[in-house]
Amino acid sequence: MSAATVTADRATWRGAALGVLVVLVLAAATRFLEKGVPGWLPDSGLAKAVEFPVYAIALGLLGNALLTAAGLRERLAGGFRTEFFIKTGLVLLGASINLKVIVTAAGPAVLQAIVLISTVFLFTWWLGGRLGLDDRLRALLSSAVSICGVSAAIAAAGAVQARKEQLAYSASLVIAFALPSIFVLPALASAFGLPPEVAGAWIGGNIDTTAAVTAAGTIAGEEALAIATIVKVTQNALIGVVVVALTAWFAFRVERRADAERPGAAELWRRFPKFVLGFVAASVIATWWLTTVPAAEGKAVVGVANDLRTWFLILAFVSIGLEFRVAALRAAGWRPVAVFAAATVVNVVVALALALALFSGFKAG
């Protein structure tokens, strides 16, 4: 290995390490604002309702602008590990999901998730095809808007072998649409006079990211937040089903040449995003373990897992803000934006109809 190569590798590692440091500092600032702002503005309901996603993304975008202006952003970009932070947060999310409770106490959430994901995914896939989008980008956009935003796009990217810029673009669209939804949907739910359980089901079924659902649910109230969380984690649990379907479709249909051998199980396994197994395993283990220990002990341990999950999601949202590229949105043109916007409208309408049909009169717990 030449001296020039060694020097370049060291510079890359130093840049990545400094990038991680920037993410950690901004994450700490996010927690500081999350805990401090309600105390500084005790009479502001909005200050109490705003959750960490807003602070994390805002600080990430601010850091993005400052680093870009200073000419340091590209040098530090190796430390903005959105994918790692999101995947780790999702595995930890599994520890807080009791699948038995979801099925038995919130059966409507399962039906809503299946109908909503199928409808929105197929509509997005169809419209993307009509407008001539690349199949991989169609898969990412369809997964993101129908399931749970960035994490679903990451899972789909692994399944269909999408390019990194396609994933970054999809993540940017998710954030661009999710941020206003945090405030718009609770306001609309109030204006429509929706009961808390319906408002929560609408928020949980419509907003793309788990963190943004938490923020919007908090604004809508405790009962709405409970239902929104159940609906969203039910959708999260279906990531694996969609990923397996996409993996098989791309391996057997989209990428298969006439003269190529039929892809086997090994190829499907290579493409399958392994963190989904961690997500499911964490849920199964936690569900079993909580039945073997006193409730107080179980609650404390799950609380630690939830706190760690929050930290990793903060790191992920800070990184998303740091990675956001306006140039990427411009370069992709209007078609992907039109597809995502149209799918969002369909998602809003279908989610509201399902929430009214399935959750009117439903009580959490």
Side-chain angles (χ1 to χ4, degrees):
M1 186 179 293
S2 66
T5 302
V6 172
T7 301
D9 288 343
R10 288 177 178 173
T12 299
W13 279 105
R14 282 197 296 268
L18 289 173
V20 171
L21 180 61
V22 168
V23 174
L24 290 173
V25 169
L26 293 177
T30 297
R31 290 316 296 261
F32 177 74
L33 291 175
E34 180 190 20
K35 297 179 182 300
V37 170
W40 304 335
L41 302 171
D43 297 326
S44 173
L46 181 60
K48 295 177 180 178
V50 172
E51 291 280 319
F52 67 84
V54 178
Y55 296 121
I57 294 171
L59 289 174
L61 291 172
L62 177 61
N64 188 330
L66 293 176
L67 291 175
T68 300
L72 297 174
R73 185 185 172 284
E74 294 302 324
R75 196 178 308 172
L76 305 184
F80 308 154
R81 306 300 299 272
T82 302
E83 184 174 350
F84 170 76
F85 296 138
I86 282 284
K87 287 179 177 179
T88 306
L90 279 175
V91 172
L92 291 168
L93 173 64
S96 66
I97 300 175
N98 187 316
L99 296 180
K100 182 179 179 181
V101 170
I102 291 175
V103 172
T104 58
V110 177
L111 179 58
Q112 180 186 22
I114 293 172
V115 174
L116 189 60
I117 290 174
S118 300
T119 302
V120 178
F121 185 98
L122 293 174
F123 172 82
T124 311
W125 180 265
W126 169 81
L127 184 59
R130 296 285 294 179
L131 294 182
L133 298 188
D134 175 78
D135 282 343
R136 291 177 177 80
L137 183 57
R138 289 167 72 193
L140 266 60
L141 294 179
S142 300
S143 300
V145 74
S146 66
I147 310 174
C148 55
V150 177
S151 54
I154 290 172
V160 306
Q161 305 291 284
R163 299 192 302 273
K164 185 175 181 179
E165 57 267 27
Q166 290 177 322
L167 177 57
Y169 176 71
S170 300
S172 299
L173 271 180
V174 168
I175 299 306
F177 278 80
L179 277 177
S181 297
I182 292 174
F183 305 100
V184 171
L185 283 189
L188 287 177
S190 177
F192 294 160
L194 299 180
E197 63 275 7
V198 174
W202 189 31
I203 289 169
N206 182 64
I207 298 180
D208 292 326
T209 70
T210 302
V213 166
T214 302
T218 302
I219 294 174
E222 286 297 319
E223 189 174 351
L225 174 60
I227 297 295
T229 301
I230 292 171
V231 168
K232 180 51 62 178
V233 297
T234 303
Q235 288 186 341
N236 289 341
L238 294 177
I239 293 176
V241 176
V242 175
V243 167
V244 169
L246 284 173
T247 299
W249 178 262
F250 272 75
F252 291 113
R253 296 292 298 273
V254 175
E255 298 173 358
R256 189 185 178 200
R257 301 187 308 273
D259 60 344
E261 294 183 6
R262 187 178 182 84
E267 175 67 8
L268 298 180
W269 172 252
R270 185 182 68 82
R271 290 168 177 256
F272 186 80
K274 311 305 185 293
F275 83 92
V276 174
L277 299 180
F279 170 84
V280 175
S283 178
V284 171
I285 292 170
T287 300
W288 167 79
W289 183 76
L290 288 173
T291 65
T292 67
V293 298
E297 180 182 345
K299 184 177 180 179
V301 173
V302 171
V304 172
N306 286 339
D307 193 50
L308 285 173
R309 182 192 74 203
T310 298
W311 271 108
F312 275 101
L313 290 179
I314 288 174
L315 293 171
F317 275 87
V318 166
S319 297
I320 287 171
L322 288 167
E323 289 186 321
F324 183 81
R325 296 174 182 268
V326 176
L329 297 177
R330 293 172 180 165
W334 64 270
R335 288 180 178 84
V337 178
V339 169
F340 202 92
T344 298
V345 172
V346 171
N347 201 12
V348 167
V349 174
V350 176
L352 179 57
L354 288 170
L356 288 168
L358 298 173
F359 285 89
S360 294
F362 178 84
K363 298 298 180 182

